[in-house]
Amino acid sequence: MESHDETGCQAPERPILCINSCGFFGRAATMNMCSKCYKDKLMQQEQVKLAASSIGSIVNGSSSSSEKEPVVRGAVDVQAEPVERKILSTEPSSDSSISNFVQMPMKEGSTRCTTCRKRVGLTGFNCKCGNLFCAIHRYSDKHDCPFDYRSTARDAIAKANPVVKAEKLDKL
């Protein structure tokens, strides 16, 4: 095998793993990071600069962010007032004034289909009649919907298209 001095060629360098340990290879031009980590680093630096300039404009009372003003960093004195703590028990008490309150239901809405009682969660469909239905019973003909679509449509058309009458013309 020939040496470096005889051929004038350099041996290829070993690949460098990304310093963020993401599993990809980095290069010296991107600070030994892969291209994705390098772009993320640049985006993070831009966000920090943008945040610093916006805070600087707020502190200095500037209305435009194009002005180059120094950002003042310093300690801010915040005086906190003592917080009053109250301990609430979950056990029922014998106090008669508490028993006069009306019990509120725990859930605001059911997460079950009104027709088949199937659990729907976030995929439920709200009908105009105010009930929640599964994918099978979501259509009005599948759950015997009491909502009157026909009269609602008539009212909407009547509001959108008012009757226009021209004044009568005098006949010659």
Side-chain angles (χ1 to χ4, degrees):
M1 191 167 197
E2 296 180 25
S3 68
H4 168 66
D5 294 333
E6 294 175 7
T7 61
C9 296
Q10 294 180 350
E13 295 180 24
R14 291 182 30 205
I16 304 167
L17 286 175
C18 178
I19 60 172
N20 289 339
S21 302
C22 65
F24 292 102
F25 294 106
R27 337 180 264 160
T30 59
M31 299 186 303
N32 293 336
M33 290 188 258
C34 66
S35 61
K36 183 180 182 310
C37 294
Y38 184 70
K39 288 179 184 176
D40 291 343
K41 178 83 171 180
L42 291 178
M43 290 293 286
Q44 185 181 20
Q45 288 175 351
E46 286 180 20
Q47 288 177 350
V48 168
K49 287 179 185 176
L50 181 63
S53 66
S54 64
I55 291 172
S57 66
I58 292 170
V59 169
N60 296 328
S62 170
S63 62
S64 66
S65 61
S66 63
E67 299 176 8
K68 301 280 184 173
E69 295 183 10
V71 176
V72 179
R73 291 187 183 187
V76 178
D77 293 331
V78 178
Q79 296 181 5
E81 297 178 11
V83 178
E84 183 178 320
R85 292 186 180 208
K86 293 183 179 180
I87 299 174
L88 300 175
S89 66
T90 57
E91 298 175 7
S93 65
S94 61
D95 190 10
S96 62
S97 63
I98 295 176
S99 63
N100 292 338
F101 291 134
V102 177
Q103 292 286 335
M104 296 293 290
M106 292 301 233
K107 292 184 181 179
E108 289 193 18
S110 175
T111 58
R112 293 184 176 266
C113 175
T114 307
T115 304
C116 65
R117 304 299 299 157
K118 178 181 173 183
R119 217 178 248 178
V120 291
L122 297 175
T123 60
F125 295 91
N126 290 320
C127 182
K128 290 185 178 180
C129 64
N131 295 323
L132 183 71
F133 297 100
C134 63
I136 296 170
H137 298 106
R138 67 180 171 178
Y139 298 112
S140 61
D141 60 335
K142 298 293 183 184
H143 67 266
D144 298 326
C145 187
F147 189 78
D148 190 11
Y149 288 96
R150 183 173 289 173
S151 65
T152 306
R154 280 187 193 146
D155 293 340
I157 291 171
K159 286 180 184 176
N161 301 317
V163 177
V164 179
K165 286 188 177 181
E167 295 181 13
K168 292 191 175 184
L169 298 175
D170 294 330
K171 291 186 180 180
L172 293 176

